[in-house]
Amino acid sequence: MIHLAYLLPLLPLVGGSVLAVGGRRLGEPLAGWLGTGTVLGSFVITCIEFAALLGRSGPGGRSVVQVLWSWIPVGGLQVHVTFLVDPLSMTMALFVTGISALIHLYSIGYMHGDPDFPKFFTYLNLFVASMLLLVLGGNMLITFVGWEGVGACSYWLISFWFQRDSAASAGKKAFIYNRVGDVGFLLAMFLVFEKTGSLDYRVVFAHLHAFGPASATAVCLLLFLAAAGKSAQIPLFPWLADAMEGPTPVSALIHAATMVTAGVYLMCRFNPMLALSHDAQLVVASVGAATAFVAATIGATQHDIKKVLAYSTVSQLGYMFLAVGTGAYQAAIFLMIAHAFYKGLLFLGAGSVIHAMDDEQDLLRMGNLRRYLKLTSATFAVAWLAIAGIPPLSGFWAKGDVLDNAFAFNKALWAVGLVTAALTAYYLSRLMAMAFFGDERWRQAFPTPAGVAAASAGDTGAGSGHGPTSTATHGAGHGAGHSGEPHEGPWVMGLPLVVLAVLALLGGALNLPWHPSWDPLGWLTPVFGTRLFDAHLSGSTQWVLGVVDTVMALIGLGIALPLWTRNVQRPRLEPVFLRRAWLIDTAIDTTVSRPGTLLARFAATVLDVRIIDGAVNGTARLTGILGSGLRRAQTGYVRQYALGIVLGMVALLAYMASRAWM
C-alpha cells in the first residue's frame, strides 16, 4: 500500500480535468460533489499511506522513494518523476487533503448560484493536486512544478470574479510577487546542482560536505526568498491581503491548507542545509518575528473581516518561520497543523457571516450576529480562543511550543513573539466584538468616518463580496443597510464548521505529554535528526512561560472586548499608517513599480523607437544611399565600361612603374 502515493495528486488532477471538459454538463451541484469526492478520496488514501508508513519499523524504514519514470535524462542532469513518502510529506498531505475536502464541501453551499460553479471546482481540484505534488516531490524540480502549479491556480482563483478590476489586479499582484520569490528557488536549484550534480533530495543531503559556509548560506537565503514570496513574509506580504478578492473558500484554502504553508514546508525540508548556516537561521528567525509583529499591528486596524484574518495569517506564518529559524522544526509543523484547523474555521466562519449579510464584509456594518448565527458564532468563538492562545485549545500549545524554543534560542526574539501574542488576542477579540457583539448596526445606514474612508481609498485591494456583482461599499460615505435578517447557510456549510471546531479544540493533544509512549509528532524526529533544537527547559520554566503566555492572551482579550463592544468608531486606535500596512505597499510602488513603469516607457519610446529601430532603419537608409550612389556607375554603356577598364590598367601600370623605379 505504500506505493499508492501517486494516487494522491492524481485523483484531484483527474477530477479537475474531467470538470474542465464536462463540468458545465454536470452543472450544479454535481460538479461540486465530483470535486469534493476526488479530494476526499485523496484523503482516504493518505490515511492508508500514513498507516502503512507508521507500520514500518525503524526510522530508516519510514522513508520510501517511489520512482515513476525518467523525465529529463540530459547529460549530467538526470531528473526522475519521484515521490518521497516520509513522515514530513505524509503529515503535510494529511492536513492538506483533510482540510481541502472540508473546504470543497463548504464551497458547494457557498458558491450556489454562481454561473461559473463548475469552473470554480476545476480550479480548486487543480490547486490541491499542485500542492500535493509540491509536498510529495522527491527532488527539487518536482517540488518546483508543484510550487508553480499552486502559483498559477492562486492567480485563477484570486481573480475568479475578474469582472471586477480589483479582483483582476489582485490576481496579477499575487502572481508577480510570487514570481519574485521564484527567482530565489531557481537560483538555489542552479547552485545545488553545480555543487552536487543532482537535484534529488537524498543525493543533495548526502553531499552536504560539498557546500562551504558561504554556499550553504546562499542556498538557504535563496530558498528563504522563495518562501518569503509564497508564505508572505516581509517585504513580500502585501499580495496576501489583496488575495481576499477571491471567493471566501479560496481564502480558506490558500491560508489554511495549501499555498502559504509551502514556504514553511520548503525550509523544513532543507533543514540539513539550514543547519550548516547559523547566519541563515538568524535571518529566517528575525524576519519571521518581525513579520509576525508588523502583521499583527496591521490586523488590529482593519475593518474588512477577511483582511483582519489575512494579516493574522501573515503573523502566524511569521511565528512558523521564527520556529524554523530557531531549529524548532517540530514546533513549526505543530503550529502549521493547528493553524490549519483554526484558520480554516475562521475563514469559513467569516464566509458564513458574509453569506448571511448579503456579501457585506465591513465590520462597522455588523454587530450582534451571535443572536442570528448561533452555529457560526459558537464555532467562530472556538477558533478565536484557539488562535488567541487560551488554554487548553490547540493554539495555546502550538504557539507556546514556538515561544518556548524562541526563549531558549534568543530572548529578544521571544520578547517580540510574546508581544505579538498579546496583539493577536487583541485584534481577534476586536473582530469578535465588532461582528458578534454590540449593536445591530446592519439595520440602518452607517456613516464611515472620514479618516477611515481616506485609509480605505489608499488600500490597493478592496474587500470582495460573494459574487462578481457584489455591492459591498468599503470606504464609501454611507452604507445602505441590510435587508432582512442574517441567516445560517445550508448543512454543507455548517458541517465543516463543526468538524474544524472540534479539531481546533482538541488539536493540542497532538503534542501533549499524556504518556511517555504518546508522541504523535515525534515520528517527525528522523526527518530532522540531531538538527532539531532542544531547548533544555526545566519543568518549572515551562510552567512559568505557559502562565506568561496565558496572561498576555487574557490581557489582549480583556482590553479588546469591552473597548470594541461599546463603540466601534475609535479612529485614534486605527491610524492611517497602520491601516495602510505601514505604507509598505506604497513604498514598493514608489521604489519599484513607478520606476519600473518609467523604465518601460523609456524603453518603449526611446530605446526601442530611437535606438533599436533607429539602428535597423538607419542601416537600411545607409544601404539605400550607397545603392543610389553606385547606381550612377551602372549606366549600361559599353564605351564607359571599356574606358573604366583602360583607366584601371593605366593606373596599375603607373603603380608598377613607380615601384620599379624605387
Side-chain angles (χ1 to χ4, degrees):
M1 301 300 289
I2 200 70
H3 296 291
L4 294 178
Y6 69 94
L7 291 177
L8 301 187
L10 182 62
L11 284 179
L13 180 62
V14 170
S17 302
V18 171
L19 288 171
V21 175
R24 292 209 173 272
R25 279 187 187 175
L26 291 175
E28 183 186 347
L30 288 179
W33 284 111
L34 175 61
T36 304
T38 57
V39 178
L40 183 60
S42 285
F43 175 67
V44 172
I45 295 174
T46 303
C47 292
I48 296 172
E49 289 279 288
F50 172 78
L53 195 66
L54 199 61
R56 286 177 167 253
S57 60
R62 290 181 178 171
S63 181
V64 179
V65 175
Q66 183 179 8
V67 181
L68 298 182
W69 66 83
S70 180
W71 181 21
I72 306 178
V74 180
L77 180 61
Q78 300 290 322
V79 179
H80 302 281
V81 176
T82 60
F83 288 155
L84 175 59
V85 180
D86 69 351
L88 180 58
S89 62
M90 280 295 98
T91 300
M92 295 291 298
L94 272 173
F95 79 78
V96 167
T97 54
I99 302 298
S100 297
L102 292 173
I103 293 172
H104 274 70
L105 179 64
Y106 178 94
S107 301
I108 294 174
Y110 189 87
M111 297 300 292
H112 171 66
D114 193 284
D116 289 321
F117 184 92
K119 183 169 73 174
F120 181 77
F121 282 90
T122 301
Y123 293 161
L124 284 189
N125 267 201
L126 295 177
F127 204 156
V128 175
S130 298
M131 186 63 187
L132 289 170
L133 190 64
L134 189 158
V135 301
L136 290 169
N139 58 64
M140 294 181 73
L141 195 55
I142 298 297
T143 298
F144 187 71
V145 171
W147 188 273
E148 292 302 294
V150 295
C153 292
S154 68
Y155 168 70
W156 296 330
L157 286 167
I158 292 168
S159 55
F160 185 76
W161 289 320
F162 61 87
Q163 296 90 339
R164 293 199 310 256
D165 290 339
S166 56
S169 297
K172 288 186 289 185
K173 187 173 184 177
F175 193 81
I176 292 170
Y177 268 74
N178 277 273
R179 297 296 75 73
V180 173
D182 292 347
V183 172
F185 202 133
L186 286 169
L187 292 177
M189 278 200 292
F190 298 157
L191 184 53
V192 167
F193 182 76
E194 191 271 334
K195 291 291 184 181
T196 65
S198 177
L199 297 175
D200 187 277
Y201 291 128
R202 296 172 300 169
V203 177
V204 172
F205 297 149
H207 291 80
L208 291 177
H209 58 272
F211 295 88
S215 57
T217 300
V219 170
C220 292
L221 292 181
L222 287 170
L223 290 174
F224 184 56
L225 173 62
K230 197 70 74 181
S231 297
Q233 298 297 285
I234 290 175
L236 299 178
F237 70 79
W239 72 267
L240 196 57
D242 290 354
M244 299 302 98
E245 287 290 341
T248 302
V250 173
S251 304
L253 192 62
I254 290 176
H255 289 248
T258 57
M259 188 167 173
V260 297
T261 63
V264 181
Y265 163 78
L266 181 67
M267 299 308 293
C268 287
R269 176 59 74 191
F270 270 86
N271 71 88
M273 187 83 68
L274 195 59
L276 299 179
S277 174
H278 179 75
D279 292 339
Q281 286 182 310
L282 191 58
V283 168
V284 172
S286 300
V287 171
T291 303
F293 174 76
V294 168
T297 60
I298 299 170
T301 62
Q302 302 301 304
H303 286 169
D304 186 313
I305 187 172
K306 287 174 65 177
K307 279 198 173 183
V308 175
L309 300 180
Y311 285 112
S312 170
T313 297
V314 176
S315 183
Q316 295 292 299
L317 289 166
Y319 271 113
M320 296 176 207
F321 282 109
L322 172 60
V324 170
T326 60
Y329 306 107
Q330 190 168 304
I333 299 298
F334 183 26
L335 181 57
M336 188 192 300
I337 296 171
H339 179 262
F341 296 156
Y342 55 66
K343 186 52 61 67
L345 178 54
L346 285 170
F347 266 108
L348 296 187
S352 291
V353 170
I354 295 168
H355 183 272
M357 294 291 292
D358 294 336
D359 301 332
E360 182 58 74
Q361 293 181 209
D362 195 336
L363 290 167
L364 293 175
R365 298 180 173 89
M366 296 183 186
N368 199 33
L369 291 179
R370 74 184 191 282
R371 177 181 175 186
Y372 305 93
L373 306 176
K374 298 186 183 302
L375 177 64
T376 298
S377 61
T379 53
F380 198 94
V382 172
W384 157 51
L385 295 175
I387 192 174
I390 301 299
L393 284 82
S394 59
F396 169 76
W397 306 106
K399 196 183 302 181
D401 202 3
V402 173
L403 290 175
D404 288 354
N405 284 278
F407 178 83
F409 183 83
N410 186 297
K411 299 296 188 295
L413 293 176
W414 168 77
V416 174
L418 189 64
V419 172
T420 303
L423 285 172
T424 302
Y426 169 82
Y427 68 74
L428 264 301
S429 300
R430 170 182 176 270
L431 183 154
M432 191 74 184
M434 294 177 72
F436 295 98
F437 298 104
D439 300 327
E440 298 177 358
R441 298 179 300 278
W442 42 269
R443 289 192 179 277
Q444 66 278 329
F446 189 82
T448 300
V452 173
S456 298
D459 290 339
T460 55
S464 63
H466 178 212
T469 58
S470 170
T471 58
T473 54
H474 302 274
H478 297 275
H482 182 270
S483 58
E485 290 190 346
H487 54 281
E488 292 281 10
W491 72 269
V492 291
M493 293 176 64
L495 180 59
L497 297 180
V498 175
V499 174
L500 288 173
V502 173
L503 293 173
L505 180 65
L506 304 177
L510 285 173
N511 213 34
L512 285 182
W514 298 105
H515 189 272
S517 63
W518 172 262
D519 188 17
L521 291 182
W523 89 312
L524 291 168
T525 303
V527 179
F528 307 124
T530 57
R531 299 171 296 277
L532 193 61
F533 180 68
D534 189 351
H536 291 296
L537 296 175
S538 64
S540 58
T541 302
Q542 294 183 48
W543 273 99
V544 170
L545 291 175
V547 171
V548 171
D549 295 345
T550 304
V551 169
M552 296 299 284
L554 292 175
I555 289 174
L557 265 69
I559 293 175
L561 283 177
L563 194 65
W564 293 99
T565 300
R566 291 194 298 265
N567 184 7
V568 297
Q569 298 188 52
R570 298 184 182 275
R572 291 185 178 180
L573 297 178
E574 300 171 348
V576 173
F577 173 72
L578 292 181
R579 280 190 53 77
R580 294 185 63 180
W582 287 53
L583 301 179
I584 291 177
D585 223 355
T586 304
I588 293 175
D589 182 62
T590 302
T591 59
V592 179
S593 300
R594 294 182 187 276
T597 301
L598 292 175
L599 180 62
R601 187 176 294 120
F602 171 79
T605 58
V606 178
L607 186 63
D608 191 29
V609 174
R610 297 184 183 181
I611 298 178
I612 297 177
D613 286 353
V616 174
N617 296 333
T619 301
R621 196 175 295 114
L622 178 62
T623 303
I625 293 172
L626 293 174
S628 298
L630 291 173
R631 191 184 304 124
R632 297 176 181 177
Q634 299 292 327
T635 62
Y637 294 110
V638 175
R639 59 180 180 271
Q640 289 185 355
Y641 299 157
L643 178 62
I645 293 172
V646 171
L647 291 175
M649 291 176 64
V650 170
L652 285 172
L653 290 172
Y655 173 74
M656 294 173 66
S658 65
R659 296 286 293 178
W661 283 99
M662 295 174 62

